[in-house]
Amino acid sequence: MNIVNAFHSKVEYYNTLDAKDRKKFWSEMIINNALYILLIIAVIYTYVKNNKFLSAGSIMNIISLSAANIPIALGIGGCIVLTGTDLSAGRVVGLTACIAASLEQSVEYATKMFPNMPVINPWIVILIVLAVGAVVGLVNGFFVAKFKLHPFIVTLATQLIVYGIILMYISLNGNNGQPLSGLDKTFNDFVKGSILPTFGDGKIVVPNYVLMAIAITIIMWVIWNKTTFGKNMFAVGSNPEAANVSGVNVMKTIILVHTLAGAMYGMTGFIESSRIGSNQANTGLNYECDAIAACVIGGVSFVGGTGKISGIVLGVFLLRIIFVALQFLAINQNLQYVIKGLIILIACSIDMRKYLVRK
């Protein structure tokens, strides 16, 4: 009903405009929705070039890839609501992925990192990686809130620190930086297996980590929209001075947002450890770039205090559709980085333009 009412309001507003204002109305609408328009064009063009792009298997692949990246995007989304960002996110994913992989290597694997350690229950590993990610997030939040440092500087520093920790961790017990693979079947079944029935004559499987992503999305939606913490987060993001005067503990809110974000990175690392299967120092590299782009595309504004969980999820899917389309079109891998950068630049420019228009 809200969508219908909003549509009717737009129509009524449009009918009140003269010819000049209507032209401006359409111009603004095209600019503000440029990315979505380009996406639709890209999808149609890709389908014409390769009709397998919209096949059931391809769509399931897009859903699976998106699900793996939803937790990190939801985490970074909170940081952006506070007018910040988090450059350490990808490295935290890498650290937690390596930790999870090292704890879940099969006992029969010849180069098992901890040869005398049994395979750990996946639920315990989830708690471990959530805790590791949360600790990094806590450090980020503390320095941002306590010393009023810009999140860019703080998370750049922790990015380097975490990367150093990864390099040291994967060198333990004579591993010497070798990729962590040989994961136990029980663990892979827990993450990549499926408790749902298969589709398309058994060819289409919905991995369990898709269900994990759905559960995380629901939890984060409740936290953002139904808790005092969520309301405080948006208040601090909009105007920290006003929030402080209103009785909001600004320091505590900033620390909690970053801590929650770190836990989300840990969950992404847990999923990626099994999904990738062979984890190394560069696991998680540049994941934060895709997550930031998805958030901005989904309407989370860098000016602070604006964002929706549904928008972030939509942004993740839209970005993943673009990347998969590039692969179907056999676009050069190096050029794909250029396109990703342009997407982030355009999305941020549109976001700032919307802010200036409102202002």
Side-chain angles (χ1 to χ4, degrees), residues 1-2 9 16-17 30 34 58 77 81 86 94 99-100 131 134 138 178 184 209 219 231 318 329 350:
M1 285 299 294
N2 290 335
S9 298
T16 63
L17 302 177
I30 291 173
S58 175
V81 167
D86 194 337
I99 291 174
L138 177 64
Q178 295 301 309
D184 189 71
Y209 64 81
I219 293 170
K231 294 176 182 177
L318 294 179
L329 294 173
I350 293 173

Side-chain angles (χ1 to χ4, degrees), residues 48-68:
V48 171
K49 288 290 185 178
N50 190 335
N51 55 21
K52 291 183 179 179
F53 176 60
L54 295 180
S55 66
S58 175
I59 293 173
M60 190 64 242
N61 180 50
I62 292 172
I63 293 173
S64 299
L65 292 172
S66 300

Side-chain angles (χ1 to χ4, degrees), residues 211-347:
L211 303 181
M212 295 179 193
I214 293 173
I216 291 169
T217 301
I218 294 172
I219 293 170
M220 291 295 286
W221 183 88
V222 171
I223 291 174
W224 277 35
N225 296 283
K226 300 297 180 180
T227 65
T228 302
F229 163 71
K231 294 176 182 177
N232 291 345
M233 178 183 72
F234 284 103
V236 173
S238 297
N239 191 324
E241 289 79 12
N244 185 52
V245 171
S246 300
V248 176
N249 189 327
V250 176
M251 179 175 176
K252 179 181 177 181
T253 301
I254 293 174
I255 291 175
L256 286 178
V257 168
H258 282 274
T259 302
L260 179 60
M264 291 297 98
Y265 310 154
M267 192 65 206
T268 302
F270 176 82
I271 292 172
E272 288 296 90
S273 64
S274 175
R275 195 181 72 84
I276 295 173
S278 180
N279 298 272
Q280 52 190 328
N282 282 333
T283 297
L285 179 64
N286 291 330
Y287 275 35
E288 66 277 2
C289 296
D290 291 352
I292 291 170
C295 288
V296 176
I297 291 172
V300 184
S301 176
F302 271 103
V303 300
T306 303
K308 294 181 179 180
I309 294 296
S310 58
I312 296 174
V313 174
L314 178 62
V316 171
F317 274 100
L318 294 179
L319 202 62
R320 191 52 53 187
I321 290 171
I322 294 172
F323 295 163
V324 172
L326 293 176
Q327 293 174 358
F328 268 88
L329 294 173
I331 300 298
N332 183 278
Q333 181 68 39
N334 298 329
L335 182 58
Q336 290 186 30
Y337 285 107
V338 176
I339 294 173
K340 287 181 182 181
L342 288 173
I343 290 172
I344 295 175
L345 188 61
I346 294 171

Side-chain angles (χ1 to χ4, degrees), residues 24-222:
K24 183 179 179 181
F25 175 87
W26 284 110
S27 176
E28 291 289 331
M29 180 170 289
I30 291 173
I31 292 173
N32 291 337
N33 296 281
L35 282 174
Y36 298 105
I37 295 171
L38 291 174
L39 174 68
I40 294 172
I41 294 173
V43 169
I44 294 173
Y45 178 78
T46 305
Y47 179 72
V48 171
K49 288 290 185 178
N50 190 335
N51 55 21
K52 291 183 179 179
F53 176 60
L54 295 180
S55 66
S58 175
I59 293 173
M60 190 64 242
N61 180 50
I62 292 172
I63 293 173
S64 299
L65 292 172
S66 300
N69 288 277
I70 281 176
I72 184 176
L74 294 176
I76 279 188
C79 300
I80 297 176
V81 167
L82 295 181
T83 70
T85 187
D86 194 337
L87 301 181
S88 69
R91 291 305 186 187
V92 177
V93 170
L95 174 61
T96 51
C98 288
I99 291 174
S102 67
L103 299 178
E104 294 292 356
Q105 286 181 303
S106 173
V107 291
E108 293 87 13
Y109 190 59
T111 56
K112 182 176 169 63
M113 187 171 175
F114 301 114
N116 297 322
M117 180 185 293
V119 176
I120 308 298
N121 186 297
W123 289 106
I124 296 177
V125 175
I126 287 178
L127 295 178
I128 292 173
V129 295
L130 288 178
V132 171
V135 168
V136 178
L138 177 64
V139 172
N140 286 336
F142 176 77
F143 279 92
V144 170
K146 180 68 176 178
F147 300 104
K148 302 297 187 291
L149 298 176
H150 196 283
F152 183 93
I153 299 300
V154 174
T155 58
L156 176 62
T158 51
Q159 178 194 70
L160 297 173
I161 293 170
V162 172
Y163 184 51
I165 294 173
I166 296 173
L167 294 174
M168 290 186 289
Y169 185 82
I170 62 176
S171 296
L172 294 175
N173 278 4
N175 190 62
N176 296 324
Q178 295 301 309
L180 298 169
S181 52
L183 303 182
D184 189 71
K185 183 179 182 300
T186 303
F187 174 60
N188 283 329
D189 289 343
F190 183 86
V191 179
K192 295 189 294 186
S194 180
I195 61 174
L196 297 178
T198 58
F199 304 92
D201 297 328
K203 295 180 181 179
I204 301 176
V205 179
V206 181
N208 288 332
Y209 64 81
V210 172
L211 303 181
M212 295 179 193
I214 293 173
I216 291 169
T217 301
I218 294 172
I219 293 170
M220 291 295 286
W221 183 88
V222 171

